[in-house]
Amino acid sequence: MIRTQLRRTRPATILAAVAAAAALAGCASANKTATTTTTTSAASSLSAMSMSTTSASAATKVNGIPNDLHPIPTQPLADADWQGMKIEAQAMTAVPFVVYDGTTEHMVKPGPKTTFHLMVMLNDAHTGVPIPYAGVWATISRAGKVVYDERQWPMLSAYMGPHYGNNVSLPGPGTYTLSLLISPPVSARHIEYQNVWLSPHRVSSTFTWKQPS
C-alpha cells in the first residue's frame, strides 16, 4: 500500500458531477457482487496525531456551522489501480457535511460515537483528474462480522477536492477489513475511456484502529 498522500487538481467542471452522481445512490448497493477484485494488506494505525495534513486558507460557514479549514489529519487506508483508475481511501477527523438533493440541503453531523470520516478518491492515474459519476459502497468488518455497510456520498471539498465519503462508527480498537465496491461511472465517454471500468470492481485492505488518547 502506498502511504503517501497525493496532491490533486480540482477542475471546476467536476461541480456538475454531484447532481448526476446523487441519482446513482443505489448503483453500488445494487451490484454488491463485484466481477473483479484487488486486495491489499497493511496495519495502518489511526491513533497517531502525526498523520499527514492538508489545509486551505479560506473560512466559511455551512448552515451556521463554522468550517475554518484548519489542517485536517488524514490516514491512508487503501490504495489500488483499476484499469488506470487510481482508488484511494483515507480516514480523517469526522466533520459535518451537507447533502444537496437538487432542491434542499440536509445537514449530516457526526455523532458522539463517530470514529472518523471515510474519503474515497477516484482519479485518472495518468492525469490525476477526479473521476465522477461512479458509485462507491464501503463495508468494514472485524473478525468476519460486518460493523459498517454504507454508500459513500459524492462530495465536494475545498481541501480534498471531489471525492466520495461518509462518516464511520467503529465498535472499538482492533484490526478491520475495508472493502470498497466501485460501480462503473455511468456517463458518455471520450475515446480514451472506452472499454474500461465497465463492471463493478472490489478493493479490499486491512487497517488497525487504536482509540485516540
Side-chain angles (χ1 to χ4, degrees):
M1 184 199 315
I2 300 175
R3 296 176 179 271
T4 58
Q5 181 179 336
L6 301 182
R7 297 287 189 262
R8 310 179 194 291
T9 58
R10 301 187 288 277
T13 54
I14 300 304
L15 292 174
V18 176
L24 302 176
C27 183
S29 58
N31 295 281
K32 296 298 287 295
T33 303
T35 58
T36 55
T37 302
T38 299
T39 302
T40 59
S41 177
S44 301
S45 174
L46 301 182
S47 61
M49 287 298 100
S50 59
M51 300 173 182
S52 58
T53 61
T54 56
S55 64
S57 59
T60 61
K61 282 189 177 182
V62 179
N63 284 2
I65 297 179
N67 179 15
D68 58 11
L69 302 181
H70 287 311
I72 303 295
T74 60
Q75 173 68 39
L77 298 182
D79 191 308
D81 188 290
W82 174 35
Q83 299 176 351
M85 176 191 291
K86 186 169 182 58
I87 303 168
E88 291 181 282
Q90 296 180 353
M92 63 168 275
T93 304
V95 293
F97 60 87
V98 176
V99 176
Y100 178 61
D101 63 6
T103 56
T104 60
E105 290 184 338
H106 170 67
M107 177 68 67
V108 179
K109 300 179 182 179
K113 295 184 178 180
T114 301
T115 307
F116 57 77
H117 181 72
L118 176 63
M119 300 181 297
V120 180
M121 283 71 68
L122 308 180
N123 293 79
D124 184 305
H126 302 289
T127 65
V129 174
I131 298 171
Y133 309 116
V136 179
W137 192 278
T139 303
I140 300 177
S141 59
R142 181 175 67 173
K145 180 180 178 181
V146 174
V147 297
Y148 178 84
D149 191 41
E150 297 287 344
R151 70 161 294 195
Q152 304 303 292
W153 295 101
M155 288 190 167
L156 296 175
S157 166
Y159 45 86
M160 286 304 298
H163 64 281
Y164 303 80
N166 208 337
N167 288 336
V168 174
S169 296
L170 298 181
T175 299
Y176 293 87
T177 298
L178 169 65
S179 177
L180 298 173
L181 180 59
I182 313 299
S183 293
V186 179
S187 67
R189 304 168 181 219
H190 282 253
I191 298 301
E192 61 268 28
Y193 291 124
Q194 69 175 346
N195 301 322
V196 295
W197 316 327
L198 300 180
S199 59
H201 180 72
R202 191 178 295 276
V203 172
S204 296
S205 182
T206 59
F207 65 93
T208 299
W209 164 254
K210 293 182 181 179
Q211 200 68 28
S213 57

